[in-house]
Amino acid sequence: MEMNDLDPAAALAQAERLKTMMNRHSRWVVRYQLMYGAASFVMILALGLLDAPLGVVVSMVIWLPATTALSVYAARQPVAYRGMAKTHGVMIGTWAVLYGIVLYPGIRFFPGNLAWWLPGAVLVAVPGFVTAYVTYRRVWA
């Protein structure tokens, strides 16, 4: 039976079933966002707390495989909820601004200072974690 063969109530019910199915199959996005936040946290700590050039090397050994694995993971998923690209763009944009806010003064004025880098790592991880919460509420609702 095609959608145009359904009465309005049946069409609405079918649309709701499809939305529910799409949300269920989009739950992978929450895992992606949580892992992005966690990788950000660890990468910033390594970058700020380890002396140069070791901090740069260790942070890139963490960050490059993590973002590569997340990209491959995302590319292999068959669906994502409507609006996911916008949510992802906001997450990445916010992350980039916070990364710059933490990184520049941290390297210049607070190298190796846990009092700067620990809250900074938390701050840089926030976009991934907040977006995961927002997405969780959307796809598990």
Side-chain angles (χ1 to χ4, degrees):
M1 177 181 288
E2 293 185 30
M3 278 296 260
N4 22 347
D5 294 339
L6 300 176
D7 66 84
L12 285 173
Q14 176 68 6
E16 189 57 38
R17 281 192 299 277
L18 290 172
K19 180 180 181 255
T20 300
M21 184 178 70
M22 180 66 74
N23 283 345
R24 189 175 65 248
H25 290 297
S26 295
R27 292 177 179 171
W28 68 268
V29 179
V30 175
R31 290 184 291 275
Y32 175 98
Q33 293 160 336
L34 289 171
M35 292 307 300
Y36 191 89
S40 297
F41 177 82
V42 174
M43 182 264 299
I44 289 291
L45 279 182
L47 185 60
L49 295 178
L50 299 174
D51 292 332
L54 181 62
V56 173
V57 171
V58 171
S59 69
M60 288 302 103
V61 165
I62 293 164
W63 189 243
L64 293 176
T67 55
T68 300
L70 286 171
S71 296
V72 169
Y73 175 62
R76 297 187 57 153
Q77 302 308 311
V79 297
Y81 64 88
R82 183 182 177 125
M84 185 270 189
K86 182 178 178 182
T87 304
H88 183 72
V90 169
M91 179 186 83
I92 297 298
T94 305
W95 177 90
V97 169
L98 294 173
Y99 178 77
I101 288 171
V102 169
L103 193 66
Y104 179 74
I107 288 174
R108 187 166 171 98
F109 303 112
F110 306 107
N113 184 337
L114 184 64
W116 174 266
W117 290 103
L118 183 58
V122 170
L123 186 63
V124 172
V126 162
F129 295 143
V130 168
T131 307
Y133 174 74
V134 169
T135 302
Y136 172 82
R137 290 188 48 139
R138 175 187 168 93
V139 299
W140 261 280

